[in-house]
């Protein structure tokens, strides 16, 4: 899953939100330098990624892209799924997406000194361009994938992947909806376990 889903799945805990947001920039045991709640957010992020990457529905989505995008397919599906979450946000939250995004940006700015340098650098672009809200539009997904394609060490073709999103839109949407319901149940269970124990 990508940024919006990870933030959404963190619930109301600021520590979980921060940890889940920064986790990709925290490798190995580096998470141990953070507060317990942020550590739990990082651990939760890692568990979400493991669950997602091995789930049959997600694998089915990835298979549809494999011939064109190979090992970049899971990355692209993460972005596609964030699109469906943003585009159908009212089905998942009573808080408007614009407010949710603003609150998330403000929380990260308030805790800026805790963020890894890579995340600090990204946050400025993310909030200025309002990535979380723009995920709701197909054009926003195109811009995201184009930006990611520029940063890949090899030719990925990801900037063209939105064509596959449009072509198979109802199928991808259905796969997201089925998967996300299962993911929410998994995360609810894992969050209870994490909050009941120290990392």
């Amino acid at each position: 899953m990508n940024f919006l889903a990870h933030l959404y799945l963190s619930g109301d805990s600021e520590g979980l939100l921060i940890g889940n947001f920064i986790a990709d920039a925290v490798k190995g045991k580096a998470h141990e330098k953070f507060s317990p709640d942020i550590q739990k957010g990082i651990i939760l992020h890692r568990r979400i990624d493991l669950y997602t990457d091995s789930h049959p529905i997600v694998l089915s989505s990835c298979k549809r892209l494999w011939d064109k995008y190979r090992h970049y397919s899971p990355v692209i599906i993460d972005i596609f799924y964030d699109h469906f979450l943003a585009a159908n946000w009212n089905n998942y939250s009573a808080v408007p997406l614009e407010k949710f995004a603003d609150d998330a940006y403000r929380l990260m700015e308030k805790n800026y000194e805790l963020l890894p340098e890579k995340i600090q650098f990204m946050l400025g672009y993310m909030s200025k361009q309002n990535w979380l809200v723009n995920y709701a539009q197909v054009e926003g997904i195109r811009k995201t994938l184009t930006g990611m394609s520029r940063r890949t060490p090899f030719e990925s073709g990801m900037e063209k992947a939105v064509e596959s999103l449009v072509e198979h839109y109802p199928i991808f949407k259905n796969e997201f909806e089925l998967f996300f319901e299962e993911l929410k149940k998994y995360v609810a269970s894992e969050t209870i376990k994490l909050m009941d124990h120290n990392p």
Side-chain angles (χ1 to χ4, degrees):
M1 304 305 289
N2 204 51
F3 290 114
L4 181 61
H6 277 292
L7 289 166
Y8 171 82
L9 292 166
S10 300
D12 297 326
S13 166
E14 290 192 357
L16 285 184
L17 278 159
I18 295 168
N20 220 332
F21 183 71
I22 68 173
D24 282 336
V26 182
K27 305 301 181 184
K29 293 187 176 182
H31 70 284
E32 294 175 355
K33 70 179 183 180
F34 293 97
S35 69
D37 279 355
I38 293 178
Q39 287 186 48
K40 290 172 183 178
I42 295 168
I43 294 168
L44 181 62
H45 180 112
R46 292 172 178 175
R47 292 182 184 178
I48 289 170
D49 282 355
L50 283 171
Y51 180 85
T52 299
D53 291 345
S54 61
H55 197 284
I57 294 175
V58 178
L59 294 175
S60 180
S61 291
C62 291
K63 186 177 180 182
R64 198 168 295 111
L65 300 178
W66 186 259
D67 287 347
K68 288 184 178 179
Y69 305 106
R70 299 293 171 178
H71 63 280
Y72 292 108
S73 298
V75 177
I76 295 168
I77 291 300
D78 281 348
I79 302 296
F80 284 7
Y81 280 13
D82 252 21
H83 164 69
F84 290 114
L85 176 57
N88 301 278
W89 183 259
N90 292 342
N91 294 337
Y92 298 101
S93 177
V95 178
L97 179 57
E98 292 78 5
K99 182 179 186 321
F100 180 88
D102 285 344
D103 289 347
Y105 300 142
R106 275 199 294 269
L107 175 64
M108 300 311 157
E109 290 288 355
K110 186 175 76 172
N111 293 276
Y112 188 81
E113 71 283 354
L114 297 176
L115 308 181
E117 186 175 343
K118 177 181 176 182
I119 302 296
Q120 290 178 342
F121 178 77
M122 181 198 70
L123 182 61
Y125 292 99
M126 186 180 198
S127 59
K128 185 177 180 180
Q129 298 170 12
N130 206 355
W131 292 1
L132 299 177
V133 171
N134 285 331
Y135 286 153
Q137 307 301 322
V138 170
E139 186 56 34
I141 297 303
R142 188 192 306 276
K143 289 178 180 177
T144 297
L145 290 168
T146 299
M148 292 175 68
S149 182
R150 291 195 194 105
R151 295 190 293 274
T152 57
F154 304 104
E155 183 67 33
S156 69
M158 281 195 290
E159 71 279 2
K160 300 175 183 175
V162 75
E163 296 170 9
S164 297
L165 172 63
V166 172
E167 181 182 359
H168 302 290
Y169 198 92
I171 301 173
F172 281 127
K173 182 174 184 287
N174 183 60
E175 287 170 342
F176 163 76
E177 290 171 349
L178 293 172
F179 167 68
F180 203 61
E181 288 306 312
E182 295 187 21
L183 178 61
K184 286 195 297 179
K185 293 174 186 174
Y186 170 78
V187 170
S189 173
E190 292 302 306
T191 300
I192 290 170
K193 293 176 190 175
L194 281 169
M195 299 310 283
D196 283 346
H197 297 89
N198 289 323

